Amino acid sequence: MTAPVYLVDDDAGVRDALSLLLSTVGIDVRTFPGPEDFLSALPKLDPGCLILDIRMPAISGLKLQERLTASGVAWPTVVISGHGDIEACRKAFRNGAIDFLSKPVDEQDLIDAIQKGQAALDRAAEADAERRETMALLAGLTPREREVLSLVARGFATRDIAAALDVSPRTVESHRAAIGAKLGTTSPAEMTRLWIEAESAP
């Protein structure tokens, strides 16, 4: 496990106990006594897993989760509660929580949930790296090559592209060869995948 864990709970006893538990299994954990403290620190925090107490003064764990989701912070979140509120559980999962645990928290359940969160963060990091690589590849295309690629992605054959751009099929083939060399593939399916990935990037 490499990503940090951020524990937000207004109960000092819970913070101390869970922090000690997680640190004994090699997890880097930072604790916050309330959502306001976490939000103040957020701009300087690396992506990590969140453990949120559901009932806290001023801002509840669910409200904090909603606020983070709305601002684009989609970090894996484990919600903990001492009340076992079914409706709150449903809301937490609708907001993207990866687990909902009742206090007193079972140690292994918490560790398993964090491992699940770490795996999700790893997948997100890999996907982000792939998107960045794709964007870098497409940035090397000329405007005309991007036009050709966009039509390839729409399923146009060489003659259709030539007609759409008012150029000869030989010119289109030349552009496609250049695109293939820059992207490292001549497969229309792979070119389409790269184009769609770039177009759907935030």
Side-chain angles (χ1 to χ4, degrees):
M1 296 186 200
T2 55
V5 170
Y6 305 114
L7 169 59
V8 186
D9 196 310
D10 61 324
D11 187 324
V14 172
R15 292 198 307 273
D16 292 343
L18 295 184
S19 178
L20 178 60
L21 165 66
L22 297 177
S23 62
T24 59
V25 293
I27 298 174
D28 175 23
V29 57
R30 287 188 57 182
T31 64
F32 300 87
E36 299 90 342
D37 304 277
F38 174 76
L39 290 171
S40 295
L42 181 60
K44 297 181 180 179
L45 298 180
D46 293 324
C49 295
L50 295 172
I51 302 174
L52 305 180
D53 181 29
I54 202 166
R55 293 181 184 272
M56 291 181 284
I59 303 175
S60 70
L62 287 179
K63 287 296 183 184
L64 175 58
Q65 186 188 19
E66 291 172 359
R67 185 176 297 187
L68 292 172
T69 300
S71 62
V73 180
W75 297 349
T77 301
V78 179
V79 176
I80 59 177
S81 172
H83 303 278
D85 186 331
I86 297 300
E87 183 55 32
C89 177
R90 289 174 180 155
K91 287 182 180 179
F93 281 116
R94 282 200 298 268
N95 290 337
I98 60 172
D99 215 333
F100 187 98
L101 303 177
S102 297
K103 295 179 181 179
V105 176
D106 181 87
E107 297 180 359
Q108 192 57 53
D109 286 347
L110 180 60
I111 292 170
D112 289 347
I114 291 173
Q115 288 176 331
K116 187 192 304 183
Q118 294 279 357
L121 283 170
D122 289 342
R123 289 192 298 271
E126 290 171 5
D128 184 60
E130 289 180 3
R131 281 193 296 271
R132 290 175 183 273
E133 182 179 356
T134 297
M135 296 301 291
L137 289 173
L138 266 62
L141 301 181
T142 67
R144 177 61 89 180
E145 288 166 354
R146 290 181 68 88
E147 283 185 294
V148 171
L149 180 57
S150 72
L151 294 173
V152 170
R154 290 167 57 188
F156 281 45
T158 294
R159 289 188 179 278
D160 298 325
I161 296 172
L165 299 180
D166 195 24
V167 297
S168 70
R170 179 172 295 181
T171 298
V172 173
E173 288 294 348
S174 177
H175 284 312
R176 291 185 69 153
I179 293 168
K182 291 178 180 179
L183 298 185
T185 181
T186 58
S187 163
E190 182 64 11
M191 287 182 179
T192 298
R193 184 190 69 79
L194 292 172
W195 179 259
I196 292 173
E197 185 176 294
E199 287 295 288
S200 63

